[in-house]
Amino acid sequence: MKKSLILLSALSNLAFANEGMWMPQQLPDIAAQLKAAGLKLDPAALSKLTGFPMGAIVSLGGCSASFVSPQGLVVTNHHCAYNSIAHNSTPERNLLENGFLAKTLAEELPATPGSRVFVTTDVDNVSAKVITADVSRLNGKKRADAMEKNEKALVAECEKDAGYRCNVAAYYGSLEFYLIKQLEIKDVRLVHAPPLGVGKFGGDTDNWMWPRQTGDYSYFRAYVSKDGKSADFSKDNVPYVPKHYLRLAKEGVKEGDFVMVTGYPGRTNRHRLPSEVSYTFDWNYPAYVKASGEQLAIIARETKDSEDKKLKYANQVAGINNYYKNRQGMLDSYAGSDFLARKQKEHADLKAWVNADAARKKAYASDIDQVEKLIAERDAQNRRDFLLAYSSPRLLNTARTLYRLANESTKPDAERKSGYQVRDLPRFKSSVAAVERSYDEGVDKALTLNFLSEYAAQPAAEHNANFDAALGLKAGMKEADIKPLLEKLYAGSKLGDKDERAAWLERKPADFKASGDSFIKAAVAMYDESLKREARDEELGGKTQQAYANYMKAHIAYMNSKGEAVYPDANSTLRVTFGKVAGRAAGADGTSWKAFTTLNGIVAKATGTGEFNAPKAQLDAIKAKDFGKYYEPSLKSVPVNFLATLDITGGNSGSAALNANGELVGLAFDGTLDSIISDWDFNDENTRSIQLDLRYMLWEMKHVDHADNLLKELNVE
């Protein structure tokens, strides 16, 4: 792995702190800090992606997970497996409510269509191959197109190695680019999930809260062909044999112990400009919270009398609820804070530093001014188009994607738009298939009617004329006028039928143009204009990338001049963060937090209904003090969840929490509500992550769910 040249010069001056989502290749450079924190492994070992323990860490494409047995058993969070559990549930066999345990390999169930296990094997700095000398002379859309061409060539060369998925990831505001190579395991099966009253105990009430008593774990298994190759689902496939898997710690953690998390954090925004902070917290997040609240209310209303509809929308509701509370929590932390003022001062200090030196001014000043103007233009467009994302029927979106795919498929593969190449066809097939257990026409129609009515109420200047024409919509229309339009639109389509949807994957552009299907016709009518809007966005994007990258170069140089390192924001690539198990002193509410919760908290919260409906079998085991070897004398019970000073964010869900020897001690699954603003503004004193304690997971599996076959496989029994 090639290192980032702009980062390493300052690492030797880095003071120890819990902040930092480190790329594995950076860890040898902070070896002293890792050792001082308590790591017993050689820090250099953590940089070896195919060695232990990094070779055991995997991505699920939105969540993190780990191999925990030589038979391809994968452990992750319950909420990461939620969609697969719901997908396999019916009112007659409600696995979501009652849990699931496969006693044999034959009983394991296919995960949601499109489920994947990705194992990162290589990370290479390809910045010079993406931003070549020729690209450097371009701007706007020409620059964006040239960069995309270079990235596609790198990916195509990488994917000549069959069974691997390769992507080019941008770091430091698209200043640097890395080629990520991952083994793509396509046959993923559900093995075990506890009942909802364990896996989501506390529900949305306790989400982002402490104290917490949630058994947020589930198991998948990765399968490959008999010759060990990545393969689609087949009854003839066999469990994957990983090169490395995590061992379970024989002893649990205690307060003050070193702990680290390895996983795939989604996005952080710590290097954003003040204008981006203002746009996000003053407009975008409030708009998101409002829209999410409306979605949740409508889905609840439309599914209340149907268990099948509830199961279809269970995963979507869980996802909306999660981010609804997350964004509101960030807004609450932001309100009355000095975050924006500090950002503005930081930016002013940067500009003063740049302007204080002629060479720096020549190198950076114009791009710093330019990026602020470009960001303002981008944010204005996003604000104007915000409701469009909510106002389009789901099957219309499907039709538009299918028509774009048909058009792109007429081109040589290298000339197709990224996301529509041959390598992407399995994803499209899975997406089309997944509609069957995640869509209901009545629910979708109610959601569309609500947001389309809000969109119609906007001034005509804020409308997309092409979208309006395709749907027969006019600015100022009321809900009563829009409803019959939607009735006609939905009635005129057969895309609700799974076989009909699948058939369109194989059809040509001429078939779309000749179709009388209402959603297909609307998709065709919107196509040319959508390409023009895409070209507009790419023109702006190309200009922004160029200016933003140079701004980040100035930012890094400025921070380095003060002896401070600049780690890259999270971007869904493999990272390591480290800290210690720790409670928290009294906060603003005067309440101090202990580092651990126990089974006693489950009993105290259990109501027998709703979000706190702990299973009777679990409560009986607690009452009988059936704790076995998982009893912790210092806590006088079995530990359930624990706090740590780890720097995590969305995407880290399911990440392995490891002790100083690299052994599994828990699973990261959440943060606390008052510290989630650390995605933007990290607070070393305040930030805490929440982990499932391994001892609780094993106790539940042994004494309640009787998952003896898995405990044997995990080398516990």
Side-chain angles (χ1 to χ4, degrees), residues 4-8 22-23 26 170-178 271 545 548-553 555-556 565-569 571 575:
S4 167
L5 297 178
I6 61 176
L7 180 72
L8 300 182
W22 301 99
M23 298 167 69
Q26 296 175 261
Y171 295 73
Y172 301 108
S174 296
L175 176 60
E176 288 194 342
F177 296 86
Y178 285 76
H271 302 314
Q545 183 278 327
Y548 210 112
N550 207 33
Y551 155 73
M552 279 302 302
K553 192 180 292 186
H555 175 64
I556 290 165
V566 181
Y567 59 86
D569 266 320
N571 62 350
R575 303 294 179 92

Side-chain angles (χ1 to χ4, degrees), residues 184-238:
E184 179 183 20
I185 299 176
K186 297 184 283 188
D187 186 349
V188 184
R189 304 183 195 178
L190 182 65
V191 177
H192 173 48
L196 193 67
V198 174
K200 201 180 177 184
F201 183 78
D204 295 313
T205 298
D206 271 5
N207 193 20
W208 304 107
M209 305 302 286
W210 187 262
R212 194 76 171 273
Q213 297 86 9
T214 307
D216 204 345
Y217 71 90
S218 287
Y219 289 87
F220 288 117
R221 194 181 304 278
Y223 280 79
V224 291
S225 63
K226 289 182 178 178
D227 60 358
K229 303 293 185 182
S230 175
D232 291 325
F233 175 85
S234 169
K235 62 180 179 62
D236 296 323
N237 285 347
V238 296

Side-chain angles (χ1 to χ4, degrees), residues 444-481:
D444 192 70
K445 198 183 297 180
L447 288 165
T448 303
L449 178 62
N450 177 78
F451 290 106
L452 205 53
S453 299
E454 293 180 14
Y455 167 79
Q458 293 183 148
E462 297 179 14
H463 276 235
N464 180 321
N466 183 246
F467 176 81
D468 290 2
L471 271 64
L473 190 74
K474 294 181 181 179
M477 268 189 168
K478 303 298 183 184
E479 184 175 298
D481 303 312

Side-chain angles (χ1 to χ4, degrees), residues 354-371:
V354 166
N355 290 325
D357 179 85
R360 294 197 296 260
K361 186 173 182 179
K362 181 179 179 181
Y364 305 127
S366 63
D367 278 324
I368 292 176
D369 290 338
Q370 178 73 350
V371 76

Side-chain angles (χ1 to χ4, degrees), residues 281-282 330-342 677 681:
F281 287 91
D282 294 338
M330 287 199 193
L331 289 171
D332 292 341
S333 294
Y334 179 75
S337 75
D338 65 345
F339 176 36
L340 180 58
R342 283 187 284 108
I677 197 172
D681 184 30

